[in-house]
Amino acid sequence: MAANRQQGGYLLEFLVGFTMFPVGLVLMSMESKALGGLLALVGFLLLAHWAYGFYKIKKLEFTGGS
């Protein structure tokens, strides 16, 4: 699924963040507002870091010739 080690790491980060963010939102709407807020925040930060990382390594992908 990932062409190199960096893409694999960012893919894992995306999957973890994509899972943590909605779980945090659900927990916030239920009883555990503090834990839910923390999970949602960490999930959002992981997704933001994933997006920046993929944007950064995308430039290196097509740098070989034509």
Side-chain angles (χ1 to χ4, degrees), residues 5-65:
R5 184 178 167 105
Q6 284 181 319
Q7 287 180 347
Y10 286 124
L11 179 64
L12 177 65
E13 190 173 323
F14 168 74
L15 292 173
V16 171
F18 189 73
T19 304
M20 286 179 74
F21 184 65
V23 167
L25 292 179
V26 168
L27 284 177
M28 278 177 47
S29 69
M30 295 171 63
E31 299 171 6
S32 181
K33 293 196 184 299
L35 179 62
L38 180 65
L39 283 176
L41 178 65
V42 170
F44 179 77
L45 290 175
L46 282 173
L47 288 175
H49 187 260
W50 162 79
Y52 174 72
F54 250 52
Y55 176 75
K56 184 175 65 171
I57 64 173
K58 184 66 174 169
K59 296 178 209 170
L60 302 174
E61 192 166 320
F62 296 109
T63 59

